[in-house]
């Protein structure tokens, strides 16, 4: 299997964690037969010594030619420069190296989204960045449809993610979309992180609590209860009842904690389970639909097409090698 070439474009002031997580996740992903799936290369606008925001430098051996040739490009944050970027501020050579093409993905971590936006790659697209930088990002790049609540946004050939740890979610998403849920889950297990983190970055934004509300109840118990009953036809009222909340209160707090509505969250978890069954079992599509709570094969196909982008059969053919 030909390895996907990945260029990590670093600049002075790069956050070492963001550089390291790409190498740790993509750089160690392996196929079921044990072969490495990605060839990760650290690149810079000019190869050589690069300052980080820590007390040590790094050395980038590769330059923009490697960025231009890569199948996937990831741009981690550099807080020294990112928020000063404006439309058209990048060097033409850098814009050219980042240019999208068919089959290529360009992604950012944290405020690396400012680089993609300055290159014009996010105009008219949904995108996200760290919640502390969202307002400035939206003012500077009004052509971008900013989503402040999510951990990452996948717009096909261009992807963006929120703060540093959201880069982990983004990398696992890339692995999952290119090589299947089982490979991504194995990378997550080895790294000791969840294969799919709940919610969006809205849950990390500091909000004052009312003086009369000393402790906000959680919806975590209802989520755990639902995960154990995905095959059942669960209702919003049942989920709210698990936490002894009204439907209105439960829905509001659920969205505050996860960034999603309860039923949207439930659909995503059912799709996760369907992907797992399609990859690891010989179950018919009808049986997968029953075991994941979609009820019928037609319903599963509709939700799978909308949520994953392909049919269940095509997904199985890609990630398991046989259509059942």
């Amino acid at each position: 299997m030909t390895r996907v070439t990945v260029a990590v474009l670093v600049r002075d002031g790069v956050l070492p964690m963001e550089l390291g997580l790409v190498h740790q996740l993509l750089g160690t992903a392996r196929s079921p037969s044990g072969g490495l799936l990605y060839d990760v290369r650290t690149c810079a606008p000019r190869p050589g010594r690069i300052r980080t925001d820590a007390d040590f430098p790094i050395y980038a051996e590769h330059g923009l030619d490697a960025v231009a040739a890569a199948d996937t490009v990831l741009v981690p944050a550099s807080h020294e420069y990112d928020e000063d970027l404006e439309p058209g501020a990048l060097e033409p050579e850098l814009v050219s190296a980042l240019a999208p093409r068919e089959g290529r993905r360009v992604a950012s971590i944290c405020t690396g989204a400012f680089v993609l936006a300055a290159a014009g790659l996010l105009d008219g697209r949904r995108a996200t960045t760290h919640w502390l930088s969202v307002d400035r990002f939206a003012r500077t790049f009004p052509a971008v449809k900013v989503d402040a609540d999510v951990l990452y946004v996948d717009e096909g050939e261009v992807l963006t993610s929120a703060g540093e740890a959201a880069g982990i979610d983004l990398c696992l998403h890339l692995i999952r979309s290119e090589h299947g849920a089982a490979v991504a889950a194995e990378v997550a297990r080895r790294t000791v992180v969840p294969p799919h983190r709940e919610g969006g970055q809205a849950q990390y934004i500091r909000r004052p609590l009312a003086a009369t509300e000393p402790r906000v109840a959680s919806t975590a118990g209802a989520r755990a209860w639902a995960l154990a009953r995905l095959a059942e036809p669960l209702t919003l009222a049942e989920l709210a009842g698990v936490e002894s909340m009204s439907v209105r209160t439960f829905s509001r707090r659920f969205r505050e904690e996860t960034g999603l509505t309860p039923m949207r969250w439930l659909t995503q978890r059912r799709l996760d389970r369907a992907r797992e069954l399609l990859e690891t079992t010989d179950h018919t599509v009808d049986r997968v639909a029953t075991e994941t709570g979609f009820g019928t094969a037609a319903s599963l196909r509709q939700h799978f097409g909308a949520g994953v982008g392909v049919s269940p059969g095509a997904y199985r053919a890609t990630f398991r090698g046989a259509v059942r």
Side-chain angles (χ1 to χ4, degrees), residues 163-222:
E164 290 175 88
I168 297 174
D169 302 287
L170 175 68
C171 287
L172 290 173
H173 171 71
L174 287 171
I175 297 169
R176 187 163 49 244
S177 62
E178 293 171 348
H179 299 289
V183 173
E186 180 57 32
V187 172
R189 277 193 295 270
R190 187 167 55 247
T191 314
V192 198
V193 296
H196 188 284
R197 191 153 52 116
E198 298 292 354
Q201 64 174 331
Q203 62 190 303
Y204 302 105
I205 300 174
R206 182 174 301 178
R207 295 183 177 89
L209 298 178
T212 57
E213 189 178 23
R215 185 177 182 85
V216 176
S218 170
T219 61

Side-chain angles (χ1 to χ4, degrees), residues 214-295:
R215 185 177 182 85
V216 176
S218 170
T219 61
R223 296 199 297 274
W225 182 86
L227 289 174
R229 296 167 175 80
L230 289 179
E232 300 176 17
L234 305 178
T235 67
L236 180 56
E238 287 176 317
L239 292 171
V242 172
E243 302 291 1
S244 300
M245 296 181 190
S246 69
V247 168
R248 181 177 180 180
T249 298
F250 178 81
S251 297
R252 174 173 57 83
R253 291 187 177 164
F254 196 101
R255 190 173 185 103
E256 287 174 353
E257 292 180 6
T258 71
L260 300 170
T261 66
M263 303 318 287
R264 176 61 178 163
W265 174 89
L266 183 59
T267 297
Q268 289 192 358
R269 300 294 76 76
R270 284 174 165 158
L271 287 174
D272 290 342
R273 177 60 175 156
R275 291 165 76 145
E276 179 184 352
L277 292 174
L278 290 167
E279 289 183 41
T280 61
T281 73
D282 293 323
H283 294 350
T284 64
V285 172
D286 284 301
R287 182 172 174 183
V288 172
T290 298
E291 293 195 10
T292 55
F294 288 111

Side-chain angles (χ1 to χ4, degrees), residues 144-155:
V144 181
K145 302 173 184 177
V146 182
D147 189 338
D149 292 337
V150 297
L151 294 174
Y152 60 84
V153 173
D154 183 346
E155 287 283 270

Side-chain angles (χ1 to χ4, degrees), residues 102-138:
E102 184 167 352
R104 179 187 222 210
R105 285 180 157 184
V106 180
S108 63
I109 301 173
C110 196
T111 58
F114 281 76
V115 177
L116 271 54
L121 300 184
L122 299 179
D123 288 355
R125 301 179 188 266
R126 286 179 60 240
T128 195
T129 188
H130 194 288
W131 64 268
L132 284 171
S133 302
V134 161
D135 289 343
R136 186 182 186 102
F137 187 69

